[in-house]
Structures are given as C-alpha cells and as structure tokens.
Amino acid sequence: MSAAEQTRSDIVAMLPRLRRFARALTGSLADADDIVQIAVERALMRMDQYQQGTRLESWLFSITRNAWIDEARSRTRRGKVFAPVEAGEHVGHGGEAEVHAKLEADDVWTAMRKLPEEQREAVALVCVEGLAYREAAEALDIPIGTLTSRLARGREALQIMLGGAK
C-alpha cells in the first residue's frame, strides 16, 4: 500500500472522531456531517501538504475547525443554515437504558453548546477526542498554556452546568 493510500485509509478511520468534534463545534448532527464532508474533501485535495510522520489527527482536526470557521463566517453573511433542525435527528427508538444514556449525552451536548467557542474546542479535542495537550494546541494553533487555561475554564463551567460542582 502506498503512502497516499495509507493516508486515505487513515482519514476514513478518523471519520467518527471528526464527526464528534464537528458536532461539538456546530451543535448539530446535520451541520457536523456537512463540515466533516468539507474537511475531508479539503484534506484529500491537499494531501500533498500533509507531512508523512506527523500527527494526521491534528492535521484533520485543524482542517475541520477551519472548515467550521469558514462556514460560520459565511452563514453570518448569508444568514442561513445547512439544514433545518427537524431534518431527522430523532429517528428510531431505544430501550429504557438507551433512552437514559441519550438524555445524559444530550445534557452534555447542551452544556457544551453553552461554552464559549474557544473552551468548547479545547474540551472537545482533549476530553472527547483524547488528544494530548500539545496535539490539541497544535490543532488549534495556540500556545499550550492558552489551551490549558481554556480547558480548565471549560471543564469548570461544564461541571457547574451539569450539577457536579456548587
């Protein structure tokens, strides 16, 4: 398998993580899917810019974040969204345990959406995606001290919103 084929395969393997990160940024499954599609298209078109041996996930998270920034700016100018909220997020039914788990997850996503964008990005990359601080700081193109500060404030705000701290 060539290096380009391996990189493409690795990008496909990253799709669930990119989707989670995009959802944390956008607050919407439909918008997250659209942002991931844009990011993957950009990554595939710019594979020559990827440096073999570096962290592919940091590169992809950075592209995803930039795609969202571009889209948010564009929305401000256009005043519209990708898809209506009622486009089908609530399809199917689960058992009682699944419903409780979904409600808890929904509470977390709701709290995440209330965080300032900088804190939401830091929490999503470190706490949800498991990136090391250095990798997350690189993906966001910020100093590691700035990342730790945003992460600490974001975690504290989430704990308060979710009832874990008083």
Side-chain angles (χ1 to χ4, degrees), residues 2-166:
S2 73
E5 290 171 334
Q6 182 61 50
T7 301
R8 283 187 196 97
S9 177
D10 293 343
I11 288 172
V12 170
M14 281 285 302
L15 288 175
R17 295 181 68 196
L18 293 174
R19 188 173 189 234
R20 278 193 306 267
F21 179 58
R23 182 169 183 213
L25 296 176
T26 66
S28 160
L29 288 174
D31 288 350
D33 288 342
D34 290 338
I35 292 299
V36 169
Q37 180 177 345
I38 292 167
V40 169
E41 287 175 5
R42 287 181 184 178
L44 292 173
M45 288 189 308
R46 298 177 181 137
M47 280 192 34
D48 59 318
Q49 295 177 5
Y50 173 65
Q51 298 174 3
Q52 293 294 331
T54 61
R55 301 281 304 194
L56 178 66
E57 60 189 9
S58 296
W59 186 64
L60 291 171
F61 285 131
S62 181
I63 291 171
T64 303
R65 177 178 178 259
N66 289 336
W68 172 241
I69 290 169
D70 292 346
E71 178 55 30
R73 287 179 183 151
S74 177
R75 285 182 186 188
T76 301
R77 288 188 300 267
R78 289 188 322 244
K80 68 178 201 179
V81 296
F82 279 133
V85 174
E86 60 275 2
E89 281 191 42
H90 306 295
V91 176
H93 302 283
E96 187 174 333
E98 188 176 326
V99 170
H100 287 295
K102 183 178 180 339
L103 290 173
E104 288 178 13
D106 286 347
D107 290 346
V108 173
W109 283 115
T110 299
M112 287 276 291
R113 281 193 300 270
K114 293 178 182 175
L115 290 176
E117 183 175 349
E118 296 85 12
Q119 293 174 17
R120 189 172 60 247
E121 292 170 344
V123 170
L125 287 176
V126 174
C127 299
V128 177
E129 294 305 325
L131 263 63
Y133 285 19
R134 182 176 51 246
E135 295 165 349
E138 180 182 302
L140 297 174
D141 196 27
I142 58 174
I144 197 165
T146 302
L147 174 82
T148 57
S149 175
R150 291 176 182 178
L151 186 59
R153 288 192 312 270
R155 283 178 171 161
E156 182 180 345
L158 283 174
Q159 285 178 334
I160 292 169
M161 284 187 266
L162 295 170
K166 304 256 186 229

